[in-house]
């Protein structure tokens, strides 16, 4: 799978240098911009790395017009993707460190975990995120994926200021019981922090990141409870999308033949730095 779109090319990583370039972008966004913790090795290499990377497939957006001469600076957008087959053959889903994923692991349906999604500041707010979604659409169609999921982040590790957003998600977008994964107890934070009548929808809308809104527009759900991630300085929710429950919106976005539809006036995720779905 490869999409050539003028300045950008979207494809799966082919070698270790491709993966290293995705890790360099992740370091710039998650560590330098958003304040995630990093090891001495990561700081020396300027790459955000974990033990799950070798088990994921990495979808990358290559900027052919980058001004940097360093080949590790050529990746301007990234996702990492793990199918349930790869999870079973490797070390499992990253999201299982935060959520009990038994419902997904035992449902018998093709699934993919989405993770470490980000775009560089130099291309943010344009076509970059839409092109990544286009590549994701081709991946999902080719692999016949039925369930997409991953943790998605609010910046800051205190759920209290996010009470309106978290409560809104809980009351309006809670996953059906057969997909309602639950945050693990160690860092569990209740999402129904306010009574329904006290939730300010406008304030909630201001707090919810653009990429979470985009998944919700496509018919996504959230799991039960949030996870406070102090290492990444985030509050995470688990987003889930079931293609059988969102057929019309899914087809409208990706096109009737599984090919991406034309971008809307505001493409999903415009302007967002990152969304650590799937970790």
């Amino acid at each position: 799978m490869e999409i050539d779109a003028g300045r950008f090319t979207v494809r799966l990583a082919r070698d270790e240098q491709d993966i290293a370039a995705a890790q360099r972008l992740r370091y710039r966004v998650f560590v330098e911009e958003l304040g995630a913790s990093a090891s001495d090795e990561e700081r020396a290499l300027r790459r955000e790395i974990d033990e799950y990377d070798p088990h994921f497939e990495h979808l990358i957006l290559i900027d052919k017009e980058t001004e940097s001469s360093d080949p590790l600076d050529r990746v301007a957008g990234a996702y990492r993707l793990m199918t349930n087959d790869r999870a079973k053959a490797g070390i499992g889903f990253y999201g299982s460190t935060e959520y009990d994923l038994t419902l997904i692991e035992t449902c018998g349906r093709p699934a993919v975990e989405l993770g470490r999604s980000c775009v560089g500041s130099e291309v943010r707010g344009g076509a970059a995120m839409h092109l990544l979604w286009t590549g994701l659409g081709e991946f999902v169609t080719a692999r016949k994926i039925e369930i997409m999921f991953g943790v998605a982040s609010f910046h800051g590790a205190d759920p209290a200021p996010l009470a309106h957003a978290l409560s809104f998600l809980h009351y309006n977008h809670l996953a059906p019981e057969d997909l309602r994964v639950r945050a693990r107890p160690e860092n569990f934070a209740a999402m129904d922090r306010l009574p329904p009548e006290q939730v300010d929808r406008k304030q909630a809308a201001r707090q919810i990141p653009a990429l979470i809104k985009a998944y919700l527009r496509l018919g996504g759900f959230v799991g039960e409870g949030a996870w406070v991630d102090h290492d990444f300085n985030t509050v995470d929710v688990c987003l889930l999308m079931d293609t059988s429950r969102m057929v019309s919106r899914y087809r409208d976005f990706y096109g009737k033949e599984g090919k991406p539809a034309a971008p809307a006036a505001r493409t999903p995720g415009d302007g967002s730095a990152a969304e650590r779905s799937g970790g």
Side-chain angles (χ1 to χ4, degrees):
M1 179 268 288
E2 182 168 324
I3 302 167
D4 191 3
R7 174 179 175 177
F8 301 108
T9 296
V10 179
R11 61 171 173 80
L12 292 172
R14 295 172 181 163
D15 52 35
E16 291 301 317
Q17 187 176 78
D18 281 347
I19 296 173
Q23 293 167 338
R24 170 65 56 80
L25 172 68
R26 284 161 30 189
Y27 186 89
R28 286 166 46 204
V29 173
F30 294 122
V31 177
E32 295 182 342
E33 288 190 50
L34 301 180
S37 62
S39 67
D40 290 341
E41 178 187 10
E42 288 174 310
R43 293 187 184 281
L45 295 172
R46 294 190 63 240
R47 291 162 51 193
E48 192 271 310
I49 304 167
D50 72 12
E51 68 273 22
Y52 285 84
D53 276 327
H55 302 275
F56 275 87
E57 294 178 81
H58 298 259
L59 184 68
I60 56 175
L61 177 82
I62 298 170
D63 183 359
K64 290 175 282 189
E65 297 180 8
T66 180
E67 296 180 359
S68 173
S69 59
D70 187 337
L72 296 191
D73 289 334
R74 64 188 177 136
V75 168
Y79 252 111
R80 66 180 192 180
L81 313 171
M82 185 184 288
T83 61
N84 41 8
D85 289 339
R86 291 178 73 95
K88 290 175 184 177
I91 59 175
F93 290 121
Y94 174 93
S96 64
T97 63
E98 299 187 10
Y99 282 80
D100 180 351
L101 300 178
T102 303
L103 291 173
I104 294 174
E105 293 167 341
T106 61
C107 71
R109 301 173 63 194
V112 64
E113 181 178 36
L114 314 178
R116 294 296 203 275
S117 169
C118 55
V119 293
S121 59
E122 67 278 5
V123 299
R124 211 167 288 158
M129 197 67 222
H130 181 73
L131 286 169
L132 275 176
W133 275 54
T134 300
L136 177 60
E138 291 202 3
F139 181 95
V140 166
T141 300
R143 306 293 179 92
K144 299 184 176 4
I145 298 296
E146 296 182 16
I147 298 171
M148 295 174 278
F149 73 97
V151 297
S153 304
F154 290 83
H155 185 52
D158 182 2
L162 304 171
H164 290 279
L166 295 176
S167 299
F168 175 83
L169 293 174
H170 177 87
Y171 294 125
N172 294 278
H173 297 283
L174 192 63
E177 289 189 6
D178 61 311
L179 288 178
R180 194 176 300 168
V181 301
R182 182 177 173 85
R184 294 193 176 278
E186 306 93 284
N187 290 3
F188 181 95
M191 293 176 66
D192 53 343
R193 309 186 74 82
L194 298 171
E197 66 275 9
Q198 292 183 18
V199 177
D200 185 327
R201 297 175 70 93
K202 290 184 179 179
Q203 185 170 343
R206 288 193 294 268
Q207 292 178 330
I208 296 173
L211 279 168
I212 294 180
K213 291 178 184 176
Y215 286 128
L216 298 178
R217 285 197 297 270
L218 292 177
F221 306 106
V222 295
E224 177 78 23
W227 169 274
V228 180
D229 189 333
H230 297 285
D231 289 339
F232 264 85
N233 190 34
T234 60
V235 172
D236 299 340
V237 297
C238 188
L239 279 168
L240 308 106
M241 289 168 286
D242 182 347
T243 59
S244 69
R245 287 182 168 101
M246 55 181 239
V247 170
S248 61
R249 275 178 282 191
Y250 178 82
R251 286 181 178 170
D252 285 346
F253 185 77
Y254 288 121
K256 294 181 180 179
E257 301 298 327
K259 297 178 180 178
R266 177 176 173 82
T267 56
D270 276 356
S272 179
E275 172 236 4
R276 195 173 51 87
S277 56

